[in-house]
């Protein structure tokens, strides 16, 4: 596991006293619930009955380590919502909750008696954060992280993206929606809950904005055109260099024996070659030392890491 993944996330007490109930399976909903827990909320996950001693959430089967981290500190309740007993358990949890998080299609919510009109009439202070694949009329369409990224122009070759960007961005939008719902309820005269839809396709579209603006396209400064913002091979690995601002770029160019006083210098092929040649001769340790000495933003990636 990379060191960054093992490091615990900072916790707060912003949602202390708030109770969040989630019916959401897979990744976006549980990740949003994890964020709420990290903000101090009391979080409850209601799942269908376990099968063979294992969670009925698909993630519990194909990614048990991830499932365990996502649900650390989360209270679990099991119920079959298609039975009267399961509905009774659900209603008892809804009566205590401030916010409900779901990840079902709208038609499924209706079948389970969780359509917004029904919920709001019975629990007027409860808010609903409904995670869907695509917004509005497209909410019934099937899809997954990969299809939403492709739709937003973020799948640029045959390689799969290195992480589940739409799912994780959607989880942040969902936890943000929990905060919005609580603020809106506090600001309303009657303390009424609200419904907020979070679409994973919209999360992907939001992440794709820099690409659509041209920033990460090949001619863009952070798309490869600027010699100080690239990944280069080095003697024993790779180095990600982000010397974008003029003072950082000048220090990097000087280390490679060149001058970058001109704003256009870092875009010249000669500068790209000079930096590439210089970096290729240095080890990760030497590059780390250079970064420390010259105050250059870079991160080394060793071959054996």
């Amino acid at each position: 596991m990379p060191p960054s993944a093992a490091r615990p996330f900072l916790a707060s007490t912003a949602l202390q006293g708030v109770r969040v109930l989630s019916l959401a399976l897979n990744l976006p909903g549980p990740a949003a619930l994890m964020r709420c827990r990290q903000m101090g909320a009391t979080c409850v996950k209601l799942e269908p009955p376990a099968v063979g001693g294992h969670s009925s959430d698909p993630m519990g089967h194909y990614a048990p380590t991830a499932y365990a981290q996502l649900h650390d500190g989360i209270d679990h309740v099991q119920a079959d919502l298609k039975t009267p007993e399961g509905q009774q358990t659900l209603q008892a949890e809804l009566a205590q909750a401030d916010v409900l998080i779901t990840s079902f299609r709208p038609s499924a919510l209706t079948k389970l008696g969780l359509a917004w009109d029904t919920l709001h009439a019975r629990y007027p202070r409860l808010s609903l954060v409904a995670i869907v694949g695509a917004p509005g009329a497209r909410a019934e369409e099937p899809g997954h992280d990969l299809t939403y990224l492709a739709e937003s122009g973020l799948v640029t070759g045959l390689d799969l993206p290195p992480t589940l960007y739409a799912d994780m961005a959607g989880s942040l939008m969902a936890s943000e929606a929990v905060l919005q719902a609580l603020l809106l309820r506090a600001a309303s005269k009657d303390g009424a809950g609200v419904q907020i839809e979070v679409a994973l396709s919209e999360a992907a579209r939001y992440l794709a904005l820099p690409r659509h603006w041209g920033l990460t396209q090949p001619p863009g400064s952070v798309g490869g055109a600027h010699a100080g913002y690239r990944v280069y091979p080095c003697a024993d690995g790779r180095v990600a260099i982000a010397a974008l601002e003029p003072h950082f770029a000048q220090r990097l160019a000087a280390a490679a024996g060149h001058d970058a006083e001109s704003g256009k210098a870092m875009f010249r092929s000669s500068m790209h070659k000079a930096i590439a040649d210089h970096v290729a001769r240095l080890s990760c340790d030497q590059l780390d030392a250079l970064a420390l000495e010259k105050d250059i933003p870079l991160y080394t990636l060793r071959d054996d890491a």
Side-chain angles (χ1 to χ4, degrees), residues 48-132:
V51 179
H54 298 286
S55 168
S56 57
D57 187 325
M59 238 181 145
H61 291 272
Y62 64 76
T65 300
Y67 177 88
Q69 183 173 350
L70 284 165
H71 295 86
D72 184 30
I74 307 296
D75 296 329
H76 278 80
V77 176
Q78 293 185 3
D80 182 353
L81 301 186
K82 297 178 181 178
T83 67
E85 296 79 13
Q87 278 291 324
Q88 186 176 6
T89 299
L90 171 62
Q91 299 306 323
E93 290 295 336
L94 289 171
Q96 301 177 71
D98 294 289
V99 182
L100 170 66
I101 299 175
T102 65
S103 61
F104 300 116
R105 300 183 194 186
S107 58
L109 286 178
T110 299
K111 289 178 182 177
L112 293 172
L114 295 172
W116 173 242
D117 289 347
T118 303
L119 271 179
H120 192 52
R122 188 163 187 175
Y123 307 106
R125 287 181 55 80
L126 177 69
S127 290
L128 171 64
V129 173
I131 301 172
V132 296

Side-chain angles (χ1 to χ4, degrees), residues 132-210:
V132 296
R138 294 185 56 205
E140 294 291 332
E141 295 179 7
H144 259 301
D145 185 281
L146 184 60
T147 57
Y148 304 132
L149 294 181
E151 179 184 335
S152 294
L154 294 177
V155 179
T156 58
L158 296 179
D159 291 335
L160 291 173
T163 191
L164 299 170
Y165 291 108
D167 283 355
M168 295 308 288
S171 77
L172 291 176
M173 287 186 168
S175 59
E176 178 186 84
V178 170
L179 298 174
Q180 291 179 37
L182 294 169
L183 288 171
L184 289 169
R185 187 180 73 176
S188 68
K189 293 182 179 179
D190 54 0
V194 298
Q195 177 190 26
I196 301 177
E197 181 184 82
V198 175
L200 300 181
S201 64
E202 290 297 288
R205 193 166 71 92
Y206 183 77
L207 292 184
L209 285 175

Side-chain angles (χ1 to χ4, degrees), residues 17-81:
V18 172
R19 190 176 180 91
V20 180
L21 172 65
S22 177
L23 307 180
L25 306 177
N26 286 311
L27 181 56
L33 193 64
M34 177 178 70
R35 294 294 293 171
C36 292
R37 178 73 186 92
Q38 290 163 356
M39 288 186 280
T42 297
C43 296
V44 180
K45 171 81 173 294
L46 193 156
E47 295 183 359
V51 179
H54 298 286
S55 168
S56 57
D57 187 325
M59 238 181 145
H61 291 272
Y62 64 76
T65 300
Y67 177 88
Q69 183 173 350
L70 284 165
H71 295 86
D72 184 30
I74 307 296
D75 296 329
H76 278 80
V77 176
Q78 293 185 3
D80 182 353
L81 301 186

Side-chain angles (χ1 to χ4, degrees), residues 220-221 224-230 232 241-254 256 258-275:
S221 295
H226 190 288
Y229 199 94
R230 294 196 66 126
Y232 292 97
I241 302 178
L244 191 61
E245 290 83 354
H247 57 288
F248 289 138
Q250 178 60 37
R251 293 170 197 162
L252 176 63
H258 280 250
D259 179 77
E261 290 293 342
S262 165
K264 296 180 180 180
M266 297 303 288
F267 293 88
R268 294 173 184 154
S269 59
S270 58
M271 184 65 78
H272 280 259
K273 184 177 186 306
I275 293 174

